[in-house]
Amino acid sequence: MKRIFMLCLAGALALASTSCKDDKKTIILQTITVNGQMYEVKSALYGENPSEYGDEASFNLILLNDVFSQPPTGEPSFYVGIELSESLYGKTVDLTKPIVKSGTLAPYLDIVAANEGQSFEIDNSEGSIDISVGEADTSLTVTSGTLKVTKNGGDFSVKLSVELSDGKSIFADWTGKATKVTIPE
């Protein structure tokens, strides 16, 4: 009887530990943050750009807090957009330093973000970093920041952290499948 009791107890403990493991669910919230405002990424759209005019081939990726299957007709009120040359895929890029040409084609990196219609852009190409707010050039600088994007077909992983000298910031932590579209210029 003692043996049957021990077997039943061992079985109950095994079942209990198995069911407890099933109760633990990890939810990964994939977000974009612009100037302290955080939203979940609900749409990701991308387009590919061929190599032309001495620039490398690249992609445009737009992370949005609203659901879109095509690029929005106007500028969304909240988003993060990244254009990245293929030689920079999978590398951690120091955003405080200009990207330099290492081969025959020029690499390119552009980050755009908007929060409530206030947009700013970091253009890191041709050996300089230019920052504009709205459409106006500024004397702002990148005080800290890194970007790492991996791409495999339509599957992406984005880790972005950038802070500007006036306190503006962009953060993105997203992994997923993006919908391929034609992105208007």
Side-chain angles (χ1 to χ4, degrees):
M1 186 67 148
K2 192 175 192 180
R3 186 174 186 181
I4 293 173
F5 176 75
M6 292 305 275
L7 287 173
C8 288
L9 180 61
L13 288 173
L15 182 61
S17 67
T18 301
S19 66
C20 289
K21 289 179 185 175
D22 291 341
D23 292 342
K24 295 180 185 177
K25 293 185 180 180
T26 303
I27 297 173
I28 299 171
L29 187 61
Q30 303 200 63
T31 60
I32 48 178
T33 305
V34 179
N35 297 334
Q37 186 71 41
M38 179 188 293
Y39 286 102
E40 180 181 3
V41 175
K42 294 185 181 171
S43 298
L45 308 173
Y46 82 101
E48 294 180 340
N49 307 314
S51 173
E52 58 186 9
Y53 310 115
D55 288 333
E56 292 182 13
S58 64
F59 69 82
N60 290 333
L61 176 66
I62 302 171
L63 303 174
L64 300 145
N65 70 318
D66 290 317
V67 176
F68 290 97
S69 60
Q70 291 294 316
T73 54
E75 183 173 16
S77 64
F78 193 91
Y79 73 97
V80 172
I82 300 168
E83 183 175 359
L84 187 69
S85 296
E86 66 183 7
S87 69
L88 301 175
Y89 298 3
K91 296 179 180 175
T92 300
V93 178
D94 181 350
L95 298 175
T96 65
K97 298 177 182 175
I99 295 172
V100 293
K101 186 176 179 178
S102 61
T104 58
L105 299 176
Y108 187 78
L109 168 60
D110 190 64
I111 301 168
V112 181
N115 180 352
E116 300 304 323
Q118 296 287 323
S119 66
F120 61 101
E121 178 176 12
I122 303 166
D123 179 356
N124 188 333
S125 62
E126 300 175 7
S128 69
I129 301 171
D130 299 311
I131 300 171
S132 59
V133 175
E135 297 291 321
D137 291 336
T138 69
S139 60
L140 296 174
T141 59
V142 176
T143 56
S144 67
T146 58
L147 171 67
K148 183 175 184 178
V149 178
T150 59
K151 177 183 181 301
N152 183 5
D155 294 325
F156 290 85
S157 174
V158 177
K159 301 283 186 208
L160 169 65
S161 171
V162 64
E163 295 186 37
L164 303 182
S165 55
D166 69 345
K168 287 181 176 52
S169 61
I170 311 168
F171 300 97
D173 190 357
W174 179 78
T175 300
K177 185 171 248 349
T179 303
K180 187 174 183 180
V181 296
T182 301
I183 297 178
E185 294 188 26

